[in-house]
Amino acid sequence: MDRYVRQILAIGEDGQEKLMESKVLVVGAGGLGSVVVTYLASAGIGKIGIVDGDVVEEHNLQRQFIHVGNVGKNKAVSAMEFVERLNPDVEVEVYPFNLNERNVQIVKNYDVIALCADNFETRLIVNDFCVRNDIPFVHGAVYSFEGEVTTVLGSPCYRCLYSSFPKQEGGEQPIMGFTCGVAGSIQCAEVVKILLGMETLKGRLLRFDLRSMEFFEVEYQPKCPLCKKKLD
Ligand SMILES: [Zn+2]
């Protein structure tokens, strides 16, 4: 427990034990996932699952620091190697593929999902499955100097945020490494607070712009067909 002395001052021994008994799935081991995996592992989460079918490329390292030295390797495998060095107490399960409708049921093995995907398709697959099965998840997204985070516990959900989703975000998006640091840290805080039963960003979308340093919230209500059906 020596490793967690300072953290126990904040969340108590009970809180620490809860984290050590918890299972969190990180979907996407890219820019956001690198930050989330780092702080979840440091905090002593009992088991971390990591999903990613991509391979580490040189241009990822500007923000995906956990993959240093692993160019050419699968990102989920690379992230597992990082966690093993950072905190050997943490059990890691690797899923070296991208999530789709056929394999999404792996999320059922976890208490909370950190949704760090870089595309709408994966977000919607995870959203729909989690809403139907009452699995909490924390969504994060980044673009250039801007980011957003929200927590979905049943309803409202990610679909309630927008009326439509483009087919693809397409190609190389602009991104600053520190934007991932801010959004990923907020996601990690949300995951830990869900596990500890603390207040979260449920029904609130937190957005920030690191150019103007403005942080603001948008409240949202259940309004998508999925939530309407669920609440009927
Ligand atoms: Zn919804």
Side-chain angles (χ1 to χ4, degrees), residues 70-116:
N70 276 343
V71 170
K73 204 173 262 185
N74 169 268
K75 286 187 185 177
V77 173
S78 167
M80 175 192 67
E81 292 177 6
F82 174 80
V83 172
E84 283 173 347
R85 286 197 302 277
L86 181 64
N87 189 351
D89 297 342
V90 178
E91 185 191 340
V92 185
E93 181 96 40
V94 170
Y95 306 96
F97 48 75
N98 293 322
L99 273 195
N100 58 41
E101 265 130 12
R102 289 177 303 284
N103 59 31
V104 68
Q105 70 276 357
I106 62 168
V107 311
K108 270 192 172 173
N109 302 326
Y110 294 86
D111 303 311
V112 181
I113 315 304
L115 182 46
C116 304

Side-chain angles (χ1 to χ4, degrees), residues 4 12 31 40 44 66 68 80-81 95 121 125 140 144 158 161-162 168 170 173 176 180 184-186 198 212 221:
Y4 310 113
L40 289 180
I66 65 172
V68 63
M80 175 192 67
E81 292 177 6
Y95 306 96
E121 196 190 342
I125 289 170
S144 191
Y158 181 68
L161 279 174
Y162 304 101
Q168 243 185 333
Q173 302 283 340
M176 299 303 291
C180 301
S185 294
I186 295 171
M198 296 166 72
S212 58
Q221 308 291 333

Side-chain angles (χ1 to χ4, degrees), residues 27-219:
V27 178
L32 292 170
S34 292
V35 177
V36 170
V37 162
T38 299
Y39 285 116
L40 289 180
S42 316
I45 298 295
K47 179 175 174 179
I48 301 177
I50 304 166
V51 189
D52 205 314
D54 289 354
V55 163
V56 180
E57 295 178 67
E58 191 72 35
H59 65 89
N60 297 148
L61 299 176
Q62 162 247 13
R63 59 201 180 281
Q64 302 177 23
F65 51 86
I66 65 172
H67 301 308
V68 63
N70 276 343
V71 170
K73 204 173 262 185
N74 169 268
K75 286 187 185 177
V77 173
S78 167
M80 175 192 67
E81 292 177 6
F82 174 80
V83 172
E84 283 173 347
R85 286 197 302 277
L86 181 64
N87 189 351
D89 297 342
V90 178
E91 185 191 340
V92 185
E93 181 96 40
V94 170
Y95 306 96
F97 48 75
N98 293 322
L99 273 195
N100 58 41
E101 265 130 12
R102 289 177 303 284
N103 59 31
V104 68
Q105 70 276 357
I106 62 168
V107 311
K108 270 192 172 173
N109 302 326
Y110 294 86
D111 303 311
V112 181
I113 315 304
L115 182 46
C116 304
D118 62 356
N119 62 84
F120 290 119
E121 196 190 342
T122 307
R123 286 179 201 139
L124 292 172
I125 289 170
V126 172
N127 179 77
D128 295 359
F129 193 85
C130 285
V131 170
R132 288 195 184 102
N133 293 281
D134 282 316
I135 300 163
F137 75 90
V138 182
H139 153 76
V142 285
Y143 182 89
S144 191
F145 284 70
E146 296 158 45
E148 65 177 36
V149 179
T150 193
T151 291
V152 175
L153 302 163
S155 288
C157 77
Y158 181 68
R159 275 192 192 275
C160 298
L161 279 174
Y162 304 101
S163 49
S164 68
F165 297 92
K167 256 276 169 269
Q168 243 185 333
E169 272 158 273
E172 300 286 301
Q173 302 283 340
I175 184 67
M176 299 303 291
F178 49 71
T179 309
C180 301
V182 174
S185 294
I186 295 171
Q187 277 184 282
C188 201
E190 287 290 293
V191 168
V192 166
K193 289 189 300 166
I194 293 169
L195 294 170
L196 298 179
M198 296 166 72
E199 200 194 323
T200 65
L201 284 171
K202 176 183 163 76
R204 294 144 67 203
L205 177 71
L206 176 67
R207 288 203 133 157
F208 62 83
D209 185 337
L210 299 178
R211 287 191 201 85
S212 58
M213 281 300 172
E214 279 179 299
F215 283 65
F216 60 97
E217 282 181 23
V218 183
E219 285 191 22

